[in-house]
Amino acid sequence: TDTLAEALGYGEARGAVVESVVPGSPAEQAGIRGGSEPKTVQGEEFIAGGDLIVAVGGREVESTEELIRIVTGELFPGQTARVTVLREGRLLALDVVLADRPLSPDVAR
């Protein structure tokens, strides 16, 4: 939402906020950054300051749910996906070599 995007410091009201990145993961190896600033927005806790994923493989990402659908339904382990992130007001294209998705829901958040 616009409120969430503004509160977390993003100029976009779309995309998937990266709250954390697992050490040694494909995301970390590609240079995707998680946040470090705890914030409460409309009663929910977030970690702000991380990248905002706005596209994967040329497809726009509107939400975290959409990112998960794209990654799990259209892409496969071993495949390289171009991930576009918004970082400090700039768009960056990062290539991520996908691996098997962890089973733990805590890792996916």
Side-chain angles (χ1 to χ4, degrees):
T1 66
D2 290 334
T3 302
L4 180 60
E6 184 178 326
L8 296 180
Y10 299 110
E12 301 271 339
R14 65 182 177 96
V17 174
V18 180
E19 291 189 12
S20 64
V21 175
V22 175
S25 69
E28 182 187 57
Q29 292 170 4
I32 295 174
R33 295 183 189 167
S36 60
E37 306 166 30
K39 289 198 176 189
T40 302
V41 180
Q42 297 177 334
E44 281 197 59
E45 297 291 323
F46 293 92
I47 305 296
D51 290 337
L52 180 69
I53 297 175
V54 296
V56 174
R59 288 197 50 200
E60 288 190 7
V61 172
E62 296 294 326
S63 65
T64 300
E65 292 79 14
E66 185 173 19
L67 173 65
I68 292 169
R69 274 194 303 274
I70 292 169
V71 171
T72 61
E74 301 174 21
L75 303 172
F76 301 96
Q79 205 174 351
T80 299
R82 169 82 31 109
V83 176
T84 304
V85 301
L86 180 65
R87 180 185 298 160
E88 298 172 0
R90 294 184 5 241
L91 290 174
L92 301 173
L94 306 170
D95 289 329
V96 179
V97 179
L98 302 174
D100 288 322
R101 187 162 185 246
L103 298 176
S104 170
D106 292 338
V107 174
R109 184 162 193 245

